[in-house]
Amino acid sequence: MRRLMNAAALAGLTSICSPAFADDDLSSIRAEIDAMRSEYQSRISDLEARLAEAERRAASAEATANSAQRAVAAAPATVPVPRQTIAAPTPARTGDNAFNPAISVVLNGQYTASSEDPDGVGMPGFSLDEEAGRPERGFNLGESEVVLTANIDPSLYGNLTFALTPEGEAEVEEAYIQTTALGGGVTLRGGRLFSGIGYLNEVHGHNWSFSDQPLPYRAFLGGQYGDDGVQLRWLAPLDQYVEFGAELYKGDSFPAGGAANGGAGAQAVWVRTGGDIGDSSSWLASASYMNADAEDRDIDGALFTGNETLGILSLVYKWAPGGNRRDRNLTLSGEYFFDTMEGDYDAVAVNLDRSGWYAQGVYQFRRRWSAGVRYAAMTPDSVPAALTGSTLDAGGLDPWAVTALLEFDTSEFGRLRAQFTHDETGPIENDEFRLQYTVIYGPHSAHRY
């Protein structure tokens, strides 16, 4: 541009000083000016074209990202994504952090007020594991998590989750490796893990719809069944979503115990299927079965040696207008449990058939605000006369509880929740109120359907 200005100034000055300036020289200067003008115009046109192309690519990338976000947000209203796909390994990274795991932290805290002292309170008719009791009164840190995940190589993915207890102890909640390249819809996972039975068992606490698990999970699975073992999944190559699972565990966790059968004391199988109902709704159904052997399982000083079998039927329905759950969505779910406990309980032979169920719904009525309600009930069995007055003696009671919640999400990474429960799980009615916060920071895997 400076050359153009200098040339123009020189041409003007020359014309003024020398009126008889040769026509051929003027023509040459004009030609040079026209050439420079053409050159710069070409460059400007090229820059404008490159700018337009960059803007087009940016708009396309933004549209793709928005589409992906909408797809994730609308997952409840689409064909349920296989769990091993949703909990996918973290993306490969380059540079200095290529071999460092992704680290995320989940902080939980709550305040609890209850009309009855929770210490020593159980559920008549059922042996409750120590993890399945009521929370302490007052302020409580709750259970927080530190999660480390990474691709190990093209064939394996690793997950390590530490649970930080309110008592300040660190426990290994999950520690497993998972295959990523077996093909044929097959995935193998081994280590310490949550079982895939039921709908809620493998969901981590910070992703529960309510602050606690329903009564059947507390009574039959100690809140949540996790153990050392191996899990095999197969996603069937069908248009309809169908997935099968088979698991073998050590058998150290409730309802098993003592690592019976040479350290293979619990087995489980399950199948689930689901699909769309129009553009706004989807469903998921599953059936699960667990066989657990116990050797001298100790619950509050009472020993049980024998076998428990548990069956679970689950059904989930999700709705979001147009498949977009950002502003409004509804999730309805329910499960039915049936359990058989056979063996020796404190040296007394027992053969008990028990059941339980729950139904719950959570409605996000506007962005960030949700409300929910849950009802759960248990049906115990009568016990031999020798066990009258024991933990397994329900005394004619059928435990039940009803829960309501109101939740405000500061973002997808932060939650504030108020929850009220009225339960008649024992001879004395109890009212419980909880205020809870949950926050997540760091790269955290998406959760299943």
Side-chain angles (χ1 to χ4, degrees), residues 7-236:
L10 178 60
L13 180 61
T14 305
S15 298
I16 294 172
C17 297
S18 304
F21 198 88
D23 290 342
D24 56 344
D25 290 335
L26 288 174
S27 298
S28 175
I29 292 173
R30 289 193 183 100
E32 185 177 353
I33 292 173
D34 290 340
M36 286 189 291
R37 182 186 296 115
S38 176
E39 178 184 355
Y40 281 102
Q41 185 62 44
S42 176
R43 291 182 181 180
I44 291 172
S45 298
D46 180 62
L47 289 173
E48 289 176 342
R50 290 167 60 186
L51 176 61
E53 177 64 15
E55 291 176 340
R56 185 192 67 78
R57 291 181 179 180
S60 176
E62 182 179 1
T64 301
N66 291 338
S67 176
Q69 291 176 353
R70 287 193 297 270
V72 172
T78 59
V79 176
V81 184
R83 298 188 188 186
Q84 70 268 34
T85 302
I86 289 182
T90 54
R93 291 173 290 163
T94 60
D96 294 338
N97 291 326
F99 300 101
N100 293 336
I103 302 175
S104 62
V105 177
V106 180
L107 298 182
N108 267 308
Q110 65 184 16
Y111 171 80
T112 304
S114 58
S115 58
E116 295 297 320
D117 190 341
D119 289 343
V121 174
M123 188 186 304
F126 303 88
S127 297
L128 293 187
D129 187 61
E130 59 181 0
E131 300 288 338
R134 295 173 179 169
E136 296 180 358
R137 285 168 164 170
F139 293 101
N140 193 321
L141 182 59
E143 185 174 279
S144 298
E145 294 180 358
V146 177
V147 184
L148 294 83
T149 60
N151 292 319
I152 299 168
D153 55 34
S155 301
L156 294 175
Y157 162 77
N159 177 293
L160 175 61
T161 302
F162 292 101
L164 307 178
T165 68
E167 294 76 25
E169 300 175 350
E171 300 176 350
V172 176
E173 189 171 72
E174 286 194 290
Y176 62 80
I177 59 172
Q178 176 179 304
T179 62
T180 60
L182 288 183
V186 176
T187 302
L188 186 64
R189 180 182 294 185
R192 179 168 298 178
L193 56 144
F194 288 133
S195 170
I197 61 172
Y199 176 60
L200 295 177
N201 188 77
E202 65 179 339
V203 180
H204 285 244
H206 64 268
N207 201 44
W208 294 344
S209 298
F210 290 77
S211 298
D212 56 352
Q213 289 283 60
L215 295 183
Y217 277 93
R218 294 169 53 195
F220 295 130
L221 293 170
Q224 197 168 18
Y225 183 79
D227 205 347
D228 298 345
V230 62
Q231 177 190 85
L232 179 68
R233 297 173 183 259
W234 178 57
L235 181 63

Side-chain angles (χ1 to χ4, degrees), residues 141-382:
L141 182 59
E143 185 174 279
S144 298
E145 294 180 358
V146 177
V147 184
L148 294 83
T149 60
N151 292 319
I152 299 168
D153 55 34
S155 301
L156 294 175
Y157 162 77
N159 177 293
L160 175 61
T161 302
F162 292 101
L164 307 178
T165 68
E167 294 76 25
E169 300 175 350
E171 300 176 350
V172 176
E173 189 171 72
E174 286 194 290
Y176 62 80
I177 59 172
Q178 176 179 304
T179 62
T180 60
L182 288 183
V186 176
T187 302
L188 186 64
R189 180 182 294 185
R192 179 168 298 178
L193 56 144
F194 288 133
S195 170
I197 61 172
Y199 176 60
L200 295 177
N201 188 77
E202 65 179 339
V203 180
H204 285 244
H206 64 268
N207 201 44
W208 294 344
S209 298
F210 290 77
S211 298
D212 56 352
Q213 289 283 60
L215 295 183
Y217 277 93
R218 294 169 53 195
F220 295 130
L221 293 170
Q224 197 168 18
Y225 183 79
D227 205 347
D228 298 345
V230 62
Q231 177 190 85
L232 179 68
R233 297 173 183 259
W234 178 57
L235 181 63
L238 304 171
D239 292 336
Q240 172 83 10
Y241 165 64
V242 179
E243 186 183 32
F244 298 88
E247 304 168 336
L248 177 64
Y249 292 106
K250 184 177 182 179
D252 252 346
S253 300
F254 185 92
N261 303 328
Q267 310 85 38
V269 293
W270 43 264
V271 59
R272 56 179 59 97
T273 184
D276 285 343
I277 306 174
D279 295 331
S280 301
S281 302
S282 62
W283 62 277
L284 180 73
S286 68
S288 308
Y289 174 82
M290 170 174 275
N291 179 79
D293 293 320
E295 290 184 1
D296 293 332
R297 187 185 73 194
D298 187 348
I299 303 294
D300 294 331
L303 299 180
F304 172 70
T305 296
N307 172 264
E308 280 202 48
T309 58
L310 176 66
I312 308 174
L313 298 176
S314 312
L315 182 62
V316 183
Y317 169 82
K318 293 192 177 187
W319 170 85
N324 186 353
R325 59 178 288 118
R326 181 179 296 273
D327 295 315
R328 284 192 301 153
N329 64 80
L330 172 68
T331 300
L332 303 175
S333 59
E335 295 186 271
Y336 178 75
F337 295 65
F338 45 96
D339 169 87
T340 297
M341 178 179 178
E342 184 175 6
D344 293 329
Y345 185 86
D346 267 0
V348 177
V350 295
N351 190 344
L352 306 178
D353 293 321
R354 305 170 299 176
S355 63
W357 65 277
Y358 76 90
Q360 66 183 39
V362 177
Y363 178 52
Q364 180 182 313
F365 53 91
R366 60 179 300 177
R367 187 173 296 188
R368 297 188 178 185
W369 287 95
S370 302
V373 64
R374 178 182 69 195
Y375 182 85
M378 305 296 298
T379 302
D381 197 0
S382 57

